[in-house]
Amino acid sequence: MEKSYYISYVISPLLLFFFMLQTVAVPTKKSYIVYLGSHSFGPNPSIYDVQLATESQYHILGSVKGSKVAAKDSILYSYNRYINGFAAVLDEQEATALAKNPSVVSVFENKERKLHTTRSWGFLGVDSDRGIPRNSIWKAARFGEDTIIGNLDTGVWPESPSFNDAGYGPVPSRWRGACEGGSKFRCNRKLIGARYFYRGFQASERPWTKQNISFDSARDHEGHGSHTLSTAGGNFVHGVNVFGNGNGTAKGGSPKARVVAYKVCWPSENGGCYDSDILAGIEAAISDGVDVLSASLGMAAQEFANDAIAIGAFHAVQHGIVVVCSAGNDGPSPGSVSNVSPWMVTVGASTIDRDFVSYVVLGNKKRLRGSSLSSSRLPAGKFYPLIKAVQVKAANATDGFAQLCMDGTLDPTKAKGKIIVCLRGENARVRKGFEVHRVGGVGMVLVNNQIDGSAIVADPHILPASHLSYADGVSIAQYLSSTKTPLASITHASTEMGIKPSPLMASFSSRGPDFITEAVIKPDITAPGVNIIASVTNDITASGLLFDKRRVPFNIESGTSMSCPHISGVAGLLKTLHPTWSPAAIKSAIMTTAKTRDNTKNTILDYTKVKATPFDYGAGHVHPNDAMDPGLVYDTTVDDYLNFLCTRGYNSRTLKKFSNKPFVCAKNFATTDFNYPSILVPRLQIGESVTVNRRVKNVGSTGTYVARVRMPKGITVMVEPSKLQFHSVGEEKPFKLVFHYARKLRRQGYVFGALVWSDGKHFVRSSIAVNLV
């Protein structure tokens, strides 16, 4: 894309007229990532190797810049140790020329990604006692002792008690990283490292977003990074609560793990996480020696060669690192899932069996159950006038803005002393409460629109408030129209445990299918991601709004950002328990032991109380205790991933750059042959048969496993062989499934089932999805 500008000169009127009609094309410069694949040297590069790689990159860039000096001036990052490539400022012509260079795999824009939190305030959005491992796996895995978990995020608040190192021994000798947190930033034997990467963000096209931002620290000024890192690997902290709610002991999934913060996200209305910074963070994590890398960020799914996280994750997995990513918060739309590369673990979000509840009691004695974490309360049993926000609108406000309780839309003379009913949408939920508070309202009832349905959220409102479903909002409207003197009261927020059914799939959790490959089921797994309590920063208020004066050391958040580190913590436990397992084996263990039934023993539901499918929950809800002894695993290899890329049209030249070794695509390899823990048949016509090939490796006791299939509707499935006998640990055996579409259904589209291998003790389950066309 080029921009044009008019220029003029102080010359004769005729020439002035002529020049004023002309345009001068000024090339638009943007930051790009130029990916060159793998390095030719081995896994432990020397200083000479790194220098040689850097010089080679200068040479490639200099071929379009005109000189080595110009190349150096335009480079943001040189990925020169474990990832081969660079980030640089280029114009469109230079980018196009580089893409034609035979040494280059791909050239793509330095895109901005967002954090996957549904935070209730205007930035972007565990309880560690619920939904994560019980004592059996924790003790067996020594609470994740000495596993190193890295986190790509907004950094960390090092003073948080979640990162206290009391009782920790020396830092593991294999740690190769550093503490580059900036001034007044201290690492310890728990928080063993920190780095920050900002050049991609700094080179972005929106300079006004960078005002008053300090780029010299890995300190978390937003809270997101501290929340996710403490969820993955935070230490034990007793007596944690949020305004008296959810009281208990906070602890991460791997509470004795060592943790590392890689700050790659900066304050921005669009996310502030740029690909070039993320890729730099991933390369640093590989170099530093982390075992697990957690990334609660992303964007719309895209082809792998143009996806910085997919590229970085591929190289990390090659070096034995488990990479865990959030699925995204763009649900419940089909195909909204992000971070879909098969070598990473993609995590959806679901609820836990705890709610923060506040009831709205109407004048007719009807009680409506809502959600809240309000820090203030109304007198018990006292009723106040109840009124719709549009009825107390300011003179200059529109009905549409007033019903949303937007800033400045309500009239103090009409609202004072009343409970105001506000509609969800547009502005932040807690900000609506601030508007009601500003005009003297004593409380707020926040009601959903029809699209949001029953998805309600507990927020740290500054005044008494309760968030109600759409159905309850209709009840409110009916009550208001039934009486001339409507009254209501709001009960103080309280904690309720043992909620049934749970888990439910969160409304925001991004859904499959994966429209990029249509070859694997994504997300892979679901984990707790709604109303999660974890550590935050002291730099922001409880609501995140400037005029809030409350500060809390732990706060509640929701999003796949919160579910992702749950799985990272579980991966850390498994890494401690089984240090020789590959990232694929750990992923398989987590997936094949997941549960698809809730605490009422019925199929997991989505937020509308409809049965969820593998495109909602993947393999199911994580069950860590079983993951420590899965019996069998689908141990996907690098060659499996490369053959998978062959099916995507990647040629031998490109694949060689990915793999750092000669590779020839297997003949007749199809996506259905890809050794993945779940099974997807992308296309099956009436009367047609499709064969799916898999391999399983024994990681438990010897014995015989028998296959059982819950067949998708309209499909017959044969497993060959139907029994697998294992004589030793590490033994691997192939099998195949033959799918036949015998009976035409009224509706085309996906149908679902499951395959289970069992020896009577272990139940190795794979979700099945078949697209009938």
Side-chain angles (χ1 to χ4, degrees):
M1 182 69 69
E2 293 181 341
K3 295 180 181 177
S4 298
Y5 303 88
Y6 285 104
I7 61 173
S8 61
Y9 298 87
V10 182
I11 45 179
S12 70
L14 183 61
L15 285 177
L16 177 62
F17 176 76
F18 173 79
F19 277 108
M20 287 179 66
L21 294 177
Q22 308 303 306
T23 60
V24 176
V26 179
T28 301
K29 291 185 178 291
K30 299 179 181 179
S31 54
Y32 289 82
I33 292 174
V34 181
Y35 178 51
L36 306 175
S38 294
H39 292 288
S40 57
F41 45 75
N44 299 305
S46 66
I47 295 176
Y48 175 76
D49 290 329
V50 172
Q51 290 175 340
L52 196 64
T54 306
E55 289 299 318
S56 175
Q57 293 170 9
Y58 288 155
H59 176 74
I60 291 170
L61 182 55
S63 68
V64 299
K65 286 290 186 180
S67 71
K68 181 179 176 180
V69 173
K72 283 185 175 182
D73 289 343
S74 66
I75 278 190
L76 303 175
Y77 293 105
S78 176
Y79 311 113
N80 51 21
R81 291 168 292 172
Y82 301 94
I83 302 169
N84 192 3
F86 55 87
V89 176
L90 308 168
D91 61 38
E92 189 175 355
Q93 290 78 14
E94 292 167 338
T96 301
L98 282 171
K100 296 176 181 178
N101 189 308
S103 298
V104 173
V105 174
S106 59
V107 178
F108 52 95
E109 283 189 32
N110 182 26
K111 296 176 287 291
E112 185 177 16
R113 297 172 187 261
K114 59 185 177 182
L115 297 166
H116 283 157
T117 178
T118 63
R119 189 174 285 179
S120 60
W121 50 88
F123 296 109
L124 311 170
V126 160
D127 178 64
S128 306
D129 279 333
R130 314 301 298 176
I132 63 172
R134 300 303 184 218
N135 285 336
S136 56
I137 183 174
W138 263 331
K139 289 178 180 178
R142 306 189 307 279
F143 302 98
E145 184 180 22
D146 287 347
T147 292
I148 302 174
I149 300 177
N151 194 41
L152 299 166
D153 213 296
T154 60
V156 68
W157 190 258
E159 293 82 11
S160 167
S162 291
F163 309 117
N164 186 293
D165 68 350
Y168 279 74
V171 173
S173 59
R174 59 193 171 83
W175 169 245
R176 304 184 297 270
C179 186
E180 298 175 349
S183 61
K184 298 182 180 179
F185 189 105
R186 298 289 181 269
C187 296
N188 56 30
R189 290 171 297 179
K190 171 67 174 179
L191 175 63
I192 62 174
R195 299 182 190 271
Y196 53 94
F197 305 91
Y198 60 87
R199 295 173 194 162
F201 175 80
Q202 198 173 49
S204 68
E205 294 181 294
R206 292 191 299 278
W208 58 87
T209 65
K210 296 185 282 290
Q211 295 177 2
N212 302 318
I213 295 177
S214 172
F215 290 110
D216 61 353
S217 175
R219 184 172 291 279
D220 179 12
H221 298 293
E222 297 181 48
H224 189 275
S226 300
H227 199 283
T228 54
L229 187 56
S230 63
T231 300
N235 204 348
F236 296 88
V237 184
H238 302 290
V240 168
N241 62 79
V242 180
F243 301 126
N245 285 290
N247 191 63
T249 298
K251 51 189 174 291
S254 287
K256 288 300 180 182
R258 314 302 177 117
V259 296
V260 188
Y262 298 97
K263 183 170 183 174
V264 297
C265 300
W266 303 86
S268 167
E269 60 184 8
N270 293 319
C273 316
Y274 277 83
D275 278 349
S276 59
D277 299 330
I278 294 168
L279 205 55
I282 295 175
E283 182 170 62
I286 298 171
S287 178
D288 291 346
V290 306
D291 299 304
V292 178
L293 189 58
S294 193
S296 292
L297 45 85
M299 64 185 304
Q302 53 201 309
E303 185 53 52
F304 305 134
N306 298 323
D307 184 335
I309 295 182
I311 289 169
F314 185 87
H315 291 280
V317 167
Q318 281 186 305
H319 286 84
I321 299 171
V322 182
V323 180
V324 186
C325 297
S326 48
N329 296 344
D330 295 315
S333 301
S336 54
V337 64
S338 64
N339 293 321
V340 298
S341 65
W343 42 84
M344 61 175 60
V345 188
T346 308
V347 189
S350 37
T351 65
I352 55 179
D353 63 346
R354 178 197 64 196
D355 273 351
F356 301 112
V357 177
S358 174
Y359 288 86
V360 176
V361 185
L362 303 180
N364 61 7
K365 308 303 181 185
K366 188 169 186 177
R367 289 169 61 90
L368 304 175
R369 187 176 185 274
S371 286
S372 182
L373 269 177
S374 297
S375 59
S376 57
R377 67 177 73 193
L378 294 176
K382 185 172 182 180
F383 285 76
Y384 296 84
L386 179 69
I387 193 167
K388 291 188 291 187
V390 73
Q391 293 178 282
V392 295
K393 70 173 184 175
N396 61 346
T398 66
D399 287 0
F401 282 170
Q403 69 177 348
L404 293 165
C405 296
M406 304 283 279
D407 291 357
T409 60
L410 305 184
D411 186 339
T413 62
K414 301 175 184 178
K416 187 175 182 180
K418 298 179 175 67
I419 294 176
I420 312 299
V421 181
C422 301
L423 182 65
R424 182 181 185 178
E426 298 298 328
N427 56 335
R429 297 182 297 271
V430 292
R431 197 170 191 98
K432 298 173 189 290
F434 274 92
E435 175 62 8
V436 173
H437 179 71
R438 182 188 70 81
V439 295
V442 297
M444 177 183 70
V445 176
L446 177 63
V447 298
N448 274 354
N449 53 40
Q450 193 167 5
I451 294 174
D452 289 313
S454 61
I456 55 177
V457 183
D459 291 317
H461 296 285
I462 197 170
L463 81 172
S466 185
H467 185 182
L468 301 181
S469 68
Y470 171 73
D472 286 341
V474 171
S475 295
I476 292 274
Q478 291 171 344
Y479 170 66
L480 286 170
S481 63
S482 71
T483 177
K484 293 182 179 179
T485 56
L487 300 172
S489 181
I490 300 174
T491 68
H492 185 55
S494 62
T495 306
E496 291 187 5
M497 307 294 293
I499 302 299
K500 293 185 177 181
S502 67
L504 298 173
M505 290 307 303
S507 61
F508 57 77
S509 184
S510 291
R511 268 54 171 188
D514 158 26
F515 289 138
I516 294 295
T517 67
E518 297 182 312
V520 296
I521 294 174
K522 289 284 183 173
D524 292 307
I525 193 80
T526 188
V530 178
N531 291 344
I532 305 303
I533 297 175
S535 174
V536 291
T537 172
N538 285 352
D539 260 10
I540 58 169
T541 64
S543 66
L545 298 174
L546 294 177
F547 31 88
D548 186 0
K549 303 301 181 185
R550 301 168 300 168
R551 294 286 197 282
V552 289
F554 289 78
N555 210 342
I556 187 170
E557 293 204 30
S558 297
T560 55
S561 276
M562 285 64 250
S563 57
C564 169
H566 276 81
I567 298 299
S568 302
V570 173
L573 292 176
L574 295 179
K575 192 73 175 177
T576 300
L577 193 63
H578 304 288
T580 62
W581 279 12
S582 69
I586 290 174
K587 175 179 179 177
S588 176
I590 291 170
M591 289 177 64
T592 60
T593 57
K595 306 303 178 186
T596 60
R597 295 190 178 274
D598 59 28
N599 58 1
T600 68
K601 308 301 182 185
N602 294 306
T603 301
I604 291 175
L605 306 177
D606 72 7
Y607 72 106
T608 65
K609 304 300 175 68
V610 172
K611 284 185 178 181
T613 76
F615 289 152
D616 302 316
Y617 53 64
H621 192 85
V622 63
H623 200 264
N625 283 357
D626 287 345
M628 69 177 178
D629 182 21
L632 305 176
V633 295
Y634 295 82
D635 199 6
T636 317
T637 66
V638 172
D639 281 358
D640 288 324
Y641 295 132
L642 294 175
N643 274 318
F644 174 82
L645 291 174
C646 291
T647 68
R648 302 287 306 147
Y650 290 68
N651 58 38
S652 298
R653 179 184 68 84
T654 303
L655 290 176
K656 182 180 178 181
K657 294 182 181 300
F658 267 96
S659 65
N660 191 28
K661 67 176 184 179
F663 183 81
V664 178
C665 295
K667 292 183 179 179
N668 303 319
F669 185 91
T671 56
T672 49
D673 300 323
F674 179 54
N675 197 43
Y676 208 69
S678 60
I679 296 165
L680 185 144
V681 178
R683 181 182 178 88
L684 188 60
Q685 292 182 314
I686 184 71
E688 218 177 34
S689 294
V690 168
T691 299
V692 170
N693 291 291
R694 290 291 190 270
R695 307 182 313 273
V696 283
K697 179 182 288 186
N698 181 33
V699 293
S701 54
T702 61
T704 301
Y705 283 79
V706 178
R708 177 169 51 87
V709 179
R710 180 169 63 80
M711 298 188 188
K713 189 175 182 180
I715 304 295
T716 61
V717 184
M718 296 292 293
V719 183
E720 302 174 5
S722 59
K723 292 183 179 180
L724 295 174
Q725 190 169 10
F726 293 93
H727 302 284
S728 62
V729 175
E731 187 179 2
E732 193 169 34
K733 298 214 171 214
F735 67 91
K736 65 181 179 180
L737 301 94
V738 180
F739 292 82
H740 182 67
Y741 185 9
R743 178 170 59 89
K744 188 171 179 64
L745 301 180
R746 288 183 184 178
R747 293 183 180 179
Q748 295 179 331
Y750 281 97
V751 290
F752 305 96
L755 164 69
V756 177
W757 287 102
S758 179
D759 62 353
K761 176 186 177 182
H762 305 95
F763 297 88
V764 186
R765 184 185 176 281
S766 294
S767 292
I768 294 174
V770 182
N771 187 18
L772 304 180
V773 295

